[in-house]
Structures are given as C-alpha cells and as structure tokens.
Amino acid sequence: MTKQTTEQTEQAGSAAQRRTPPLPGRRDPSDPQAIPTTAAGPSGENPGAASAPESPAAQRRSGPLTDRKHLRTYVLVMSLLGLLAVGFTLAVIFYSNPTEFGSEGWWVILQMRSESLLTIAVVALCHTMATIAFQTAVNNRIITPGIMGFGSLYTAIQTGFVYVFGMAGVTMLVGVPQFFLQMAVMMLVATVLYTWLLSGKFSNIHIMLLVGVVLGGTLGSLSNFMQRMLTPSEFDVLTARLFGNISNARAEYLPYAIPIALAVTAVLWLWGPRLNALSLGRTAATNLGLNHKREVIKILALVSILISMATALVGPMMFLGFLTVMLAYQCADTYSHRLLFPMGFLFGYTILTGSYFILRHVWDAGGAVTVIVELIGGIAFLIFLLRKGRL
Amino acid sequence: MISLTEVSKDYSEKVTIGPVTTQIEAGGITALVGPNGAGKSTILTMIGRLLDIDSGQITVAGHDVVNTPSKAIAKILSVLRQENHFVTRLTVRQLVGFGRYPHSRGRLTLGDEKYISEAIDFLDLTDLENRYLDQLSGGQRQRAYVAMVLAQNTDYVLLDEPLNNLDMQHAVQMMQQLRRAADELGRTVVIVLHDINFAARYSDKILAMKDGQVVQHGTPEEIMTDEILSEIFNTEVSVIDAPGGPLAVYY
Ligand SMILES: Nc1ncnc2c1ncn2[C@@H]1O[C@H](COP(=O)(O)OP(=O)(O)OP(=O)(O)O)[C@@H](O)[C@H]1O
Ligand SMILES: [Mg+2]
C-alpha cells in the first residue's frame, strides 16, 4: 500500500492517475468477506471511487437481462407466447369436434388431436434446441442444422436402407429398435461429416453455406434417385414413412421421442453457462478454459439426435429452426441460453399450432402445415439476408 | 516463468516462424516488438494455446500449454488477441463478466461481481458499463476487451496490441495500470507493442522479433541504441536522452 502511495506522488500531476480505481486484486473469490478489507485498502484515500462496497456495488450486477425494461420485454413476450400457445392448444383440441360431446368417438378424436399436439411440441423443441446449440457451436446466426442439410442426411440414410436391402430394408425401418439404430447411424455420420465440414476447413461463411446447401441438395437428389429405383410397393412404404406430417405423424415413436428429446434438452440446459461462453467464439472460449473442439463435437452429436427425431416424426424441415431462433434472438436480445431456449420453443410451438389450427379448421388442409411453415421460414430467411445485405 | 523450447510454426513452405527458444521470467512486463509480420502474434497466441504448435514445447509456470487441460490453464493465463469480434450482442459488463467464467463457471458470486466492477473501473469504463459493445468507439471497445482479461485475474496476462485505437491518455493509463498489476500483484504481463517508446518506458524486458526469429532480448537500456533499433525496424532510428529515459526518434 505504501509503495503505491509513493508511486502516485512520484507520478503526480496527472489528474487521471489520481482517479485511478483500485486494482483487481488477488483474493479468494469464494470469500466475500475479503472484499471490504481490500476496498478500504488502495482506494482508501479516494472514497468517491468504487470503494463503497455496499451501496453502489449492490446495484452493479451483471445479468443476462440488462435492465428493468429488458426484463419487462422478456416477460411480456413470454406471457404473450404462453397465452397464444395455450389458446391454440385448446382451440386445436376442442374446436368443431363433429361427434357428440363425451361420446366414445369424441374421446378418440380428442386423443388423436392430442397426439398431433405432442408431435408438434417435440418437433418444435427439437428444432429450436438443435438450432440454438448449433449456431452457438459454429458461432454464426445464419446457418442452421436444417439449412446445412441434417434433415436431408437423415432422409438419405433412410432411403439408403430401403435401396440396399429392398423390402427387407423397409421392415428394417419399421419398428422401434430400428428407430434407434437409424438414430445412431445418423449421429455417427452427421457428427463426423459436420465436424469435418466445420473444423475451419471452410472458415469462410459463404463457402460453408454453399457447401451446406449443395450437400442438402445432393443428398435430396440422391434420395430421389434411389426412390425412383425402388419397386412401387417399396416406394409406397417408404413415402408413407418419409413424408410424415403433423396430422399423420409416426405417433408410435412418441413414447421414445419424448423422453429422448427431454433428456437432450436437459443436458443442453445444464450446459447453458458453457454454451454462453462458447458463443463468444473459439478464441475467447479457449481463453476461458473450454476445449472448443471437444465441445463442438459434443454439441453436434446432440444436434444430430434432435434432428433425426424431428425428421423421423414429420420429415425434414429446413427453415423452422431458423425462424424460431431468429425470433427468439430478436425478442430476447440476450446471450443467455437458458433464456433463449424457452422463448424459442414457445415461438416454435405457437407458430406450428397456430398454422395447424388455421390450416386444418379454416382451410381444411391440415397436411400442409410443415409446407406452410417452411414457406414462412424461407421467406424470413430471405428477408433476413436481404436486410443484412451480407452474410 | 514462460519458457519456449525450439518452438516453431509452419504456415507454409515460405512462411515459418521460429524455431524460437527463449524464456520470459515471471513478474514484470515483457514487451514484444518487431515489424509487421515478424511473428509476434504467432508466438503470443501459441503461448496462449490459441494456435497449435507445430514443433517444440511451451510451458507456463511449469505447465505444458498443450497437455495441461485448458480449464486449468485458464486460471493461470489469460490472453487477448489482436482482433476481436463477438457474434453475440453484449454489454460491457456482460463481456467483462465472462472473464470470471474460469472461476465461477457462469454462476457469478458477490466476489465475482466485485472483480468485475473493479476491472471496469480500472479501465475507466464505469459510465459505459451498461452500453452494448456495438455502441462504443473502437478505443472504448478495446478497453472493454482488456477489462475482460483482467477480470480473469490470472498470474500471466498476454495482450496483443492492447493500445490499438487508444488515445494518449488511455494508452498511458493502461500502461500505468499494467505496471501496477506487475509491481503490486506480481503479475507477468507479455504485451505486443508497436510504439518502442512505450516499450522502453514501461517494460522490464524487451523481446524483439524479426522474420520469425527472436533477434534481441534484454532490458530497455540494452535495446535502446541507434544500431539495434535501426536493425530491428529497418528504419533510421536515433535514440536521444529525454526526461524519463531514452527516446527513439524515427520520423
Ligand atoms: N493463418 C495464417 N496463414 C498463413 N500465414 C500466416 C497466418 N497468420 C500469419 N501468417 C504469416 O505469418 C507471419 C507472422 O504473422 P504474425 O501475425 O505473427 O505477425 P505480427 O508480428 O503479429 O505482425 P503485426 O505487427 O502486423 O501484427 C506473417 O508473415 C503472416 O503473413
Ligand atoms: Mg500481430
């Protein structure tokens, strides 16, 4: 302390030097008791600085939401989305049930509609969680697993099974163990492929996007090509599998998909703070003690699980994740994954249930939900690119 | 102590940095100087384990930077690169808060908040702490990055041209603060500087690089001569005696 005082007098004259606040010192960070003592130390002579530990320091908090207004906006958006979600859920379940209230048929319809809603919830959850985590891993807000062709990869793997094994392949696709097998294959292939793709080889975002789109397109045409070579009966079974949609989802997967989706969500939730640090990019994350490469691989593995599940249920969706996550980032305006996840999910769920309700009950085209949502998402993607004017 | 043994980086057949063998002693400020493309950033980022080493070994306080878990290194060494850009929208305080991550794992305690406030005050950012980074000037942003690294509170601090974009007052202030960090807290600061006079005035040792090699390593008094400086920077430099130490003139 004395040393500092002499140094200050020696270098006197500079007013800036006099205002110099205390040095971030070496203390045991887990010991809050130590704070007032040091604060009284170097800065003891100028009480105006940050030396008063109680009053000004008490207000100086670092949180993911910057101020009251930010908090209010977040709560408001969440409540609105919550209300809309509940509203659409009730509307989808109860609106214009043709059978008599309380009859057996009424309950059957109710159950079918609930299954659709559950499917929607799982799909919204998978796409949102996967997209947020993926964008954090690759440190980019434009590309998403959907845009980079994760869904097409899953479709290609599925078609490949049928193509190689014929009718036997179809039976290989049906059933629960096969569902897991495909998911494992997808996880392996996607993790290896995208780790390689994203490992800085194509550090340029334009090229990465291009590679993703071309990959998605190529895998899509490959699937198409293989499908043309199938016998009509094989093709029938395959399309029934592949082109699932929300009113005709593979509901038999739900009992497995729901716990898996929840488990992966839980893991990503636990990783929240780590994802926050990762979102600063490779350099800063490494400086903060994260093994960047390992974290990215782990995230890609989880992302591929989520996307294979969503794709197995309702087929590939390219822009849903982009749409929900862009909206979540716009409205939440925070780095905190634990705040972004729920908002993104609510956006996804609301958009999907909303379109489902409108399409099914107003236009009588329930099967077109994914198509319409993709259209909206695609347009949003274009507008985003055009407004930004660059990648 | 930071010790480099036969460290080299091969960018391509033509561009190789090293092999460099040198030791940077613990405590005090070491300035890395040299012309553009000399390899200063390369060496600094390799010490900070941000860049893979092609051959050789680097240890910081006895820990091999390649084999020691990154988590452990983050508690003894922090590093700031020459250029920084974050995709995420952050306020100054949120950014500086990330500096506590190695200790808090994202759960900021009262003690962490204290470090954060101190680092912010230290760099004269108190009034700006709730501003978003994209609402700051280049120099203010640069100070916010340095504040983040200081909040990490590590024994070793590596900074790549932290005086970039800073005005006179803030450049001088930052060097004085780093000086205090070294003197009072025993920090080891390795800093890339372009202004040789800043290096001479504030550092204990100057390490000069040229064409991927260390060409000089000594105290400012030893380095600050006409011949040595002219040789390092390929420019006519004359050193004059000024109040406060030798001054290089090269305009
Ligand atoms: N990623 C890279 N790929 C290929 N060459 C590189 C790469 N990074 C740096 N180099 C080359 O290595 C040499 C040293 O670069 P470095 O960034 O270490 O220089 P520096 O001393 O920090 O220069 P400056 O003062 O301009 O910051 C330069 O010739 C540069 O062109
Ligand atoms: Mg450099």
Side-chain angles (χ1 to χ4, degrees), chain A residues 77-130:
Chain A
V77 174
M78 284 299 279
S79 329
L80 259 176
L81 285 174
L83 279 178
L84 279 175
V86 172
F88 281 131
T89 305
L90 294 177
V92 167
I93 291 187
F94 294 112
Y95 185 78
S96 99
N97 189 332
T99 54
E100 195 189 329
F101 176 82
S103 68
E104 204 173 305
W106 190 85
W107 283 107
V108 171
I109 289 183
L110 204 72
Q111 204 209 335
M112 276 166 52
R113 291 180 176 183
S114 323
E115 259 174 17
S116 297
L117 284 172
L118 267 180
T119 311
I120 287 179
V122 174
V123 169
L125 186 68
C126 288
H127 274 283
T128 305
M129 300 299 290

Side-chain angles (χ1 to χ4, degrees), chain B residues 9-12 14-17 32-45 51 81-83 160-161 164 192-194 209-212:
Chain B
K9 177 80 198 168
D10 308 320
Y11 282 122
S12 62
K14 278 192 184 157
V15 186
T16 51
I17 307 295
L32 261 174
V33 300
N36 290 139
K40 306 181 294 293
S41 300
T42 304
I43 292 292
L44 199 82
T45 43
L51 186 67
R81 277 176 71 135
Q82 195 166 356
E83 267 146 34
D160 199 346
E161 302 195 27
N164 256 358
V192 177
L193 289 175
H194 265 295
M209 293 193 65
K210 191 179 177 182
D211 300 330

